[in-house]
Amino acid sequence: MTGTLDKDRPAPTPAPASAEPLLVADQVVVEYPAKGWRKAPFRALKGVSITIGAGETLGLVGESGSGKTTLGRAILGLAPVTSGSVRYGGRVISGLDKKQRRALSSEIQVVFQDPYTSLNPAMTVTDILSEPLMVAGTSRTEAERRVKDLLDQVRLPADAGQRLPREFSGGQRQRVAIARALSRDPRIVVCDEPVSALDLSTQARVLDLFVEIQERTGVAYLFVTHDLSVVRHISHRVAVMYRGEIVETGDAATVTSTPEHPYTQRLLLAAPVPDPERQAARRAERRRLAEAGEPVDDSVGSVTDSVGSVDTTGAKGDPA
Amino acid sequence: MTLPQSEADLTAVATATPVRAGLVRRLLRNPVAVACLVILAVITLASVFAPLLTSQDPARSSLTETLAPAGGKHLLGGDGVGRDVLARLLYGGRTSLLGALIAVSVALVIGVPAGLVAGYYRRWFDAVGSWLANLLMAVPAIVVLLVVMSAIGQNTYVGMAVFGVLLSPGVFRLIRASVISVREELYVDAARVSGLTDGRIVRRHILPVVQAPTIIQAAQMLGLAIVIQSGLEFLGLGSASEASWGSMLNDAFANIYTKPILLLWPGAALALTVAAFCLLGNALRDALDASANTTRRSRRTTRKRKPTAARTVAQETPGTDTDSDSDSDSGTGTGTGTGSGTETRAGSEAASPTDSAPETGTNPQATSTPTPGPNNGPRSGTDTATAGSEPHTGPDSTPQPDAGPDARTISTADAGTKSVADTGPDAEQQPRTDSRPDAGTATGTGTETGSMAGARPGSRTATDALLVLDGLTVSYPAAGGEKTVVDGVSLTVRRGEVLGLVGESGSGKSQTAFAVLGLLPPEAQVSTGRLVFEGTDLARLGRAEMNRLRGRRIAYVPQEPMSNLDPSFRIGSQLVEPVRRHLGLSRAAAKAKTLGLLERVGIADPERVFASYPHQISGGMAQRVLIAGAVSCDPDLLIADEPTTALDVTVQAEVLDLMRSLQRERNMGMVLVTHDFGVVADICDRVSVMQTGAVVESAPASELFAAPQHPYTRMLLASTLEDAEPRPAPGRTPATTTAGSTNTAHQEGRA
């Protein structure tokens, strides 16, 4: 292996020259068995289709309980795909057995939301980063060299390797998690709300790191978030999820500034802007929309929502 | 990046492992644990080296030495059939320890793997395993042992192995529970995605977490096994040929009238061993808890705890007695009118009383506090010097230092005014009101976005300042001395005004809010120059008085709505209780009031929510419920700690709307702690930006956003992504190695 990620990257498309994008989710349905005898299972995803091209970022926006995290987990093989399929490089990867799934670990990786629980507190950063390498059969010395390289890529000091995760701040931990995801040169990384637990300034820097890595290595991201401004910053295309379905897809600029679907419009107007005057205008606009259109008030809807969110707890639904 | 210490946010389960090195050290610092370890070591060594310690054969009986006295050949004498007591005691230790070891080993060998598999894979194995475990636990152990021992003959070790089987469900359950809690951790998911085999995940990520509780359980089980074993032997069910403590007891019991001292030796050995095992188990648990606690404490301490210690420290402000009394008189005078009184007075000059910034209001209010907290002692020295040189420019010049780059400049100005007004603390209220006309003209000329100087006449705010906080310092005992999390923060909240307290994690904003509420944990060291709410010096209130104030006059809306509702009570009863307590309403009246409130906060079906349990409603709904609870007693001040952070944006917008309308309707003062400048722009009249425990900039919201002064504020505002350019489509991105194939593939995908 050589120094940088892009050099040792294999030829871009392993699949036969199919015209298919890198990753395709086709009418994916994810159901979780409901608690209670003979209850209908809870349907977290109701036939979701997305595509992600190589080197592209697809932003996936939605509120808690919308199923956006579940879609990410279905792609990672952590959530059961009831019907439909997930294809990677033209090959169906949903419903693989454990061994076949493990073979995909060098291709599809993940950065989770919570930088506190996504790193084993008992392991040093070097151990955490070299774990995936050891799986791939990398020698210890080679792994150590690679860990140094990874730490450098995510802008962490070289001596970070000997330390435990708890010695780092949230942003630094998330950098460690990013380094772990990159350690096997994946072609797609599922980023599940990777910056929503971070402070504002840290968030901006970590996002920049994501963009920079993508520009250097050509990795594709499925970027799951609830924050429209984050999604606009990082995504090429955006898909909006609402109650287990995709309601709108399109260019990031279009979806995040002139959305067509009423739900996306609501979402956009609900996000407060850091400018009192513009925010007042936005608030008025939201009120106008609420009064004109269907009731925006959540008090009726959220009762039904809450039933759903109770069911998803077993499935690690979106954090509130 | 923020301080790492403040973010050591680890779950209790997870912390169990990394501290194991420290665990041994902590254990050795506990004298009880050391004593237990020494006793156990001595007993073990004595048993193992029994042949070296005594030349007597524990099984050889000699009629001549029946009940022989102690001394001589038989150091502890002879027993009922003339066997050497010392030899039997030493060799008996072997039987007891070995038997216990067998039992515990069997329990672990069965329980640990079964627990691991059941916890990790769940499904049918878990169901069957749990069912079997429950079944085994329901079986009376002694009866089973009696049956087994009588069926297979008098073999202690077989009996103990069977006992081990009976102990295994306990181990199984413990391991299973620990594994289930770890397997939900994201790092296990990450390991799975990294391609680790299940065996490797269990070995690397799960076993270490399970280790500690297993060791504790094992220590307890060893003690239990020894007791059970001795009991069986005492009943004569052990192997007759081998010496054991239980059979010694049996023999001693037979001779209890002739030679009662025989009971002492096996009894003492048993008691010592068993007690040592049990106490060691406890010590292990304590050591483990302690290590979990130290890690947990370094989290942001936002938990409600009794504020006793904090209070005693805070009371170190002498000489404010008379002042605060006179203050409280005038304070309650305006307070009874629920703010309308103050408003009308101020209303004549300022139609919108909320827009002018009373940051300097802190200063005149602070006049009666001659002693700042012990922590800012040295600073106040330099301050008085400043005041001496230019006594009256203090309040006037505040706008500049306020907007200036250093928080210290603010505090300097504060202290400056302090000594100025020291001359006449009693007249404090009057001069302020007199000088109000000036302020009035200033605000009159200034528009909402008026100049800072115009909008900030400190004098005017004196009368309607609801909360005055001056020189608040909060610190926690830390490894190398003290760690100060809030460092000399001064704030003023006026009636009908929303103050935003903005900062990143670790900036001390929540700690400031909790200090006002008097809800800091006991280990917090709080010192305030002044903490006055409507003329009442909060720092001097006792716990009971503070309790009367909290909820009634000062209300709180938390960040996590769900964790602030007790899951075991219906929402209705949680809301009714404080209303009845504070307002003394009857049950029916309180219920009617609560239902009205629920309707007011936009809950469509109040009756249903009233009768629901917290888990039956959504997060947004729960926050509405908590807001209803907070405003139920018509508080004058509402402190909201990141009230919308846990909510979805659409819900957040509605909750903010609700809070704004309630605040306007009731003319409440409000402190909103947040990290989100969007929220600030939406609801706040004035903003204080905090960085590492200090306020670096305070300004009216419109001014802060239009012209942020402090570099930190500018940095934060620049970090918001709101106005960031959207990323162009990948076709226009700089070419990457994969770009060529990307685009074709991607275009197809999009079509």
Side-chain angles (χ1 to χ4, degrees):
Chain A
M1 288 198 189
T2 47
T4 50
L5 282 176
D6 44 339
K7 282 184 199 154
D8 44 3
R9 169 166 302 286
T13 318
S18 70
E20 197 169 276
L22 184 64
L23 188 106
V24 178
D26 189 11
Q27 293 298 317
V28 171
V29 173
V30 171
E31 284 180 349
Y32 290 107
K35 282 175 193 147
W37 178 247
R38 296 182 67 142
K39 267 196 187 159
F42 171 69
R43 200 166 255 227
L45 296 183
K46 302 165 183 166
V48 170
S49 302
I50 55 162
T51 62
I52 304 171
E56 182 191 38
T57 303
L58 175 70
L60 191 59
V61 206
E63 305 205 328
S64 54
S66 64
K68 56 189 194 305
T69 294
T70 308
L71 180 56
R73 292 180 70 84
I75 289 168
L76 291 165
L78 296 173
V81 175
T82 314
S83 74
S85 66
V86 179
R87 295 195 297 276
Y88 170 78
R91 188 163 72 100
V92 174
I93 59 163
S94 46
L96 291 183
D97 66 25
K98 284 189 175 179
K99 196 170 171 214
Q100 291 169 314
R101 187 76 226 183
R102 280 203 292 273
L104 271 174
S105 63
S106 60
E107 310 279 319
I108 304 179
Q109 269 304 328
V110 67
V111 176
F112 284 114
Q113 166 178 25
D114 190 344
Y116 299 97
T117 58
S118 67
L119 305 176
N120 188 337
M123 287 164 68
T124 63
V125 167
T126 302
D127 282 345
I128 290 169
L129 293 183
S130 53
E131 189 166 64
L133 298 170
M134 297 300 204
V135 171
T138 316
S139 74
R140 183 163 285 279
T141 46
E142 172 62 25
E144 270 169 20
R145 209 191 53 69
R146 181 100 180 98
V147 165
K148 276 212 185 77
D149 182 36
L150 286 166
L151 288 175
D152 185 49
Q153 281 189 50
V154 295
R155 311 270 182 280
L156 283 174
D159 69 332
Q162 285 82 53
R163 292 196 265 161
L164 290 171
R166 66 158 174 263
E167 296 170 54
F168 294 95
S169 69
Q172 288 170 321
R173 287 183 204 211
Q174 205 56 298
R175 283 168 195 266
V176 175
I178 294 170
R180 173 175 59 192
L182 293 177
S183 61
R184 306 259 317 263
D185 298 337
R187 304 207 48 225
I188 179 161
V189 175
V190 174
C191 310
D192 187 2
E193 303 252 16
V195 294
S196 53
L198 305 180
D199 273 330
L200 206 57
S201 53
T202 318
Q203 177 175 323
R205 286 200 292 269
V206 171
L207 282 178
D208 287 345
L209 178 68
F210 270 111
V211 171
E212 181 208 311
I213 287 170
Q214 182 169 54
E215 282 170 0
R216 198 175 57 222
T217 66
V219 66
Y221 294 136
L222 173 66
F223 206 94
V224 177
T225 178
H226 66 275
D227 190 332
L228 267 181
S229 60
V230 167
V231 110
R232 167 169 43 221
H233 187 66
I234 194 155
S235 309
H236 300 115
R237 284 187 309 131
V238 173
V240 183
M241 274 193 97
Y242 182 56
R243 299 198 177 172
E245 283 168 287
I246 296 219
V247 295
E248 184 164 2
T249 322
D251 274 346
T254 320
V255 175
T256 57
S257 48
T258 51
E260 279 169 20
H261 194 275
Y263 173 72
T264 321
Q265 289 169 2
R266 263 168 57 193
L267 207 59
L268 181 66
L269 290 177
V273 281
D275 178 337
E277 279 172 41
R278 270 170 55 215
Q279 173 55 21
R282 189 173 261 206
R283 197 164 61 217
E285 170 75 3
R286 182 168 55 82
R287 287 242 180 80
R288 198 186 51 74
L289 194 77
E291 278 156 21
E294 56 206 292
V296 176
D297 196 287
D298 75 316
S299 44
V300 185
S302 53
V303 176
T304 41
D305 269 354
S306 73
V307 177
S309 59
V310 168
D311 287 342
T312 32
T313 47
K316 282 191 203 167
D318 295 336
Chain B
M1 236 153 268
T2 41
L3 296 166
Q5 299 97 301
S6 68
E7 306 202 3
D9 195 352
L10 307 163
T11 63
V13 175
T15 38
T17 34
V19 292
R20 285 203 60 235
L23 181 72
V24 175
R25 223 175 304 133
R26 198 168 287 112
L27 198 65
L28 291 181
R29 244 181 277 145
N30 181 348
V32 176
V34 174
C36 292
L37 285 171
V38 169
I39 290 172
L40 290 174
V42 167
I43 290 175
T44 311
L45 290 175
S47 309
V48 170
F49 297 109
L52 302 179
L53 294 173
T54 176
S55 52
Q56 301 290 331
D57 180 351
R60 196 182 64 84
S61 62
S62 127
L63 283 177
T64 55
E65 277 149 19
T66 301
L67 298 178
K73 204 170 95 184
H74 301 294
L75 213 55
L76 295 178
D79 73 354
V81 287
R83 293 171 295 198
D84 181 63
V85 171
L86 179 64
R88 284 182 72 72
L89 197 63
L90 293 174
Y91 283 91
R94 289 180 160 190
T95 326
S96 285
L97 290 178
L98 191 62
L101 219 55
I102 288 174
V104 171
S105 307
V106 169
L108 291 180
V109 163
I110 297 175
V112 171
L116 279 175
V117 174
Y120 189 73
Y121 291 105
R122 311 296 298 269
R123 296 174 185 269
W124 66 268
F125 187 90
D126 186 27
V128 172
S130 300
W131 191 79
L132 277 177
N134 294 344
L135 196 73
L136 268 180
M137 284 182 119
V139 168
I142 288 288
V143 175
V144 172
L145 285 175
L146 290 176
V147 170
V148 168
M149 300 274 281
S150 57
I152 57 166
Q154 310 272 316
N155 188 325
T156 310
Y157 299 129
V158 173
M160 289 322 284
V162 173
F163 184 61
V165 175
L166 294 172
L167 278 178
S168 62
V171 180
F172 168 84
R173 283 186 160 191
L174 177 80
I175 301 283
R176 176 180 169 273
S178 327
V179 173
I180 287 174
S181 66
V182 197
R183 79 192 280 277
E184 299 291 326
E185 294 287 338
L186 285 176
Y187 63 79
V188 175
D189 276 341
R192 241 173 244 149
V193 175
S194 292
L196 265 71
T197 57
D198 287 342
R200 218 163 168 155
I201 291 177
V202 168
R203 203 166 59 244
R204 285 182 68 103
H205 294 287
I206 291 182
L207 265 186
V209 178
V210 168
Q211 250 168 358
T214 311
I215 292 171
I216 297 171
Q217 177 96 344
Q220 308 271 17
M221 286 195 308
L222 281 170
L224 182 66
I226 289 179
V227 169
I228 293 287
Q229 185 192 347
S230 309
L232 291 172
E233 287 158 350
F234 180 73
L235 295 175
L237 286 167
S239 18
S241 57
E242 282 191 73
S244 72
W245 292 341
S247 56
M248 283 176 80
L249 273 180
N250 188 349
D251 177 76
F253 197 64
N255 299 296
I256 193 162
Y257 294 113
T258 42
K259 200 182 176 193
I261 193 146
L262 280 180
L263 270 176
L264 177 67
W265 311 117
L270 271 173
L272 268 178
T273 318
V274 173
F277 273 127
C278 290
L279 290 175
L280 183 66
N282 285 348
L284 270 168
R285 198 198 47 222
D286 289 349
L288 210 63
D289 280 355
S291 45
N293 277 342
T294 44
T295 346
R296 224 175 290 145
R297 197 178 303 141
S298 50
R299 269 177 175 194
R300 294 196 331 174
T301 18
T302 48
R303 221 148 296 140
K304 289 186 191 177
R305 273 187 241 166
K306 282 169 194 139
T308 40
R311 185 62 27 70
T312 49
V313 183
Q315 279 173 350
E316 293 175 3
T317 337
T320 35
D321 263 354
T322 48
D323 297 338
S324 64
D325 285 348
S326 64
D327 279 359
S328 76
D329 287 342
S330 63
T332 38
T334 53
T336 41
T338 335
S340 52
T342 351
E343 206 42 59
T344 39
R345 278 201 275 160
S348 57
E349 309 115 27
S352 54
T354 47
D355 51 2
S356 70
E359 174 55 43
T360 51
T362 328
N363 312 332
Q365 278 287 339
T367 43
S368 60
T369 317
T371 317
N375 279 345
N376 33 15
R379 208 191 306 151
S380 69
T382 54
D383 295 341
T384 15
T386 328
S389 57
E390 31 174 8
H392 278 284
T393 48
D396 299 336
S397 63
T398 22
Q400 274 342 96
D402 263 6
D406 192 356
R408 299 304 152 106
T409 50
I410 300 175
S411 15
T412 316
D414 288 352
T417 0
K418 239 177 251 171
S419 46
V420 173
D422 260 352
T423 47
D426 288 342
E428 179 204 343
Q429 291 282 357
Q430 267 339 96
R432 299 307 153 208
T433 355
D434 290 345
S435 62
R436 201 146 35 88
D438 304 340
T441 49
T443 17
T445 52
T447 53
E448 210 176 289
T449 48
S451 74
M452 254 190 207
R456 291 188 177 195
S459 46
R460 177 181 164 271
T461 55
T463 38
D464 43 7
L466 190 62
L467 177 81
V468 177
L469 177 63
D470 187 22
L472 171 77
T473 301
V474 179
S475 55
Y476 286 90
E482 282 196 335
K483 182 168 157 29
T484 305
V485 293
V486 177
D487 190 5
V489 165
S490 301
L491 301 168
T492 306
V493 185
R494 295 191 307 151
R495 193 170 282 287
E497 176 188 64
V498 183
L499 171 72
L501 208 52
V502 204
E504 298 195 299
S505 56
S507 63
K509 53 192 196 304
S510 289
Q511 291 289 314
T512 305
F514 275 80
V516 173
L517 287 162
L519 289 177
L520 288 173
E523 65 266 28
Q525 314 240 320
V526 185
S527 74
T528 41
R530 195 169 158 86
L531 173 52
V532 176
F533 170 72
E534 285 246 301
T536 315
D537 190 349
L538 295 187
R540 303 180 62 83
L541 286 188
R543 195 196 298 179
E545 291 161 305
M546 191 65 201
N547 274 344
R548 269 199 297 280
L549 210 63
R550 260 197 308 254
R552 174 80 182 83
R553 311 273 313 276
I554 304 181
Y556 168 64
V557 176
Q559 171 172 14
E560 292 282 345
M562 275 309 177
S563 53
N564 279 275
L565 284 169
D566 190 326
S568 43
F569 289 94
R570 290 178 197 276
I571 283 164
S573 72
Q574 298 188 44
L575 289 180
V576 162
E577 189 61 35
V579 173
R580 293 193 63 198
R581 192 183 128 72
H582 283 301
L583 304 182
L585 295 178
S586 74
R587 192 175 292 272
K591 181 175 178 182
K593 185 177 168 68
T594 306
L595 285 175
L597 279 168
L598 287 177
E599 199 168 356
R600 172 64 191 88
V601 297
I603 288 171
D605 190 353
E607 291 275 356
R608 211 189 105 187
V609 171
F610 188 89
S612 302
Y613 285 99
H615 72 267
Q616 292 170 312
I617 60 170
S618 68
M621 195 85 108
Q623 195 59 292
R624 283 170 196 269
V625 166
L626 283 169
I627 291 172
V631 300
S632 62
C633 299
D634 285 320
D636 301 298
L637 177 67
L638 185 66
I639 294 181
D641 183 11
E642 305 255 12
T644 57
T645 307
L647 306 176
D648 282 324
V649 268
T650 49
V651 184
Q652 163 174 294
E654 285 152 19
V655 167
L656 287 177
D657 281 351
L658 170 66
M659 290 181 80
R660 181 186 307 102
S661 69
L662 282 171
Q663 182 261 331
R664 297 248 163 99
E665 175 184 303
R666 289 151 196 256
N667 196 32
M668 287 185 293
M670 194 156 114
V671 178
L672 185 89
V673 176
T674 182
H675 65 276
D676 188 336
F677 275 104
V679 171
V680 172
D682 189 65
I683 194 168
C684 294
D685 304 309
R686 219 155 40 78
V687 193
S688 288
V689 181
M690 285 189 73
Q691 182 189 20
T692 56
V695 173
V696 295
E697 182 168 3
S698 283
S702 50
E703 283 173 25
L704 186 98
F705 284 103
Q709 299 292 316
H710 195 276
Y712 180 70
T713 315
R714 281 193 219 133
M715 188 277 286
L716 282 182
L717 281 170
S719 303
T720 57
L721 300 166
E722 204 49 54
D723 303 316
E725 279 294 299
R727 260 185 107 179
R732 276 166 275 154
T733 49
T736 61
T737 43
T738 50
S741 64
T742 307
N743 289 336
T744 47
H746 159 71
Q747 241 84 43
E748 297 286 331
R750 212 193 295 180

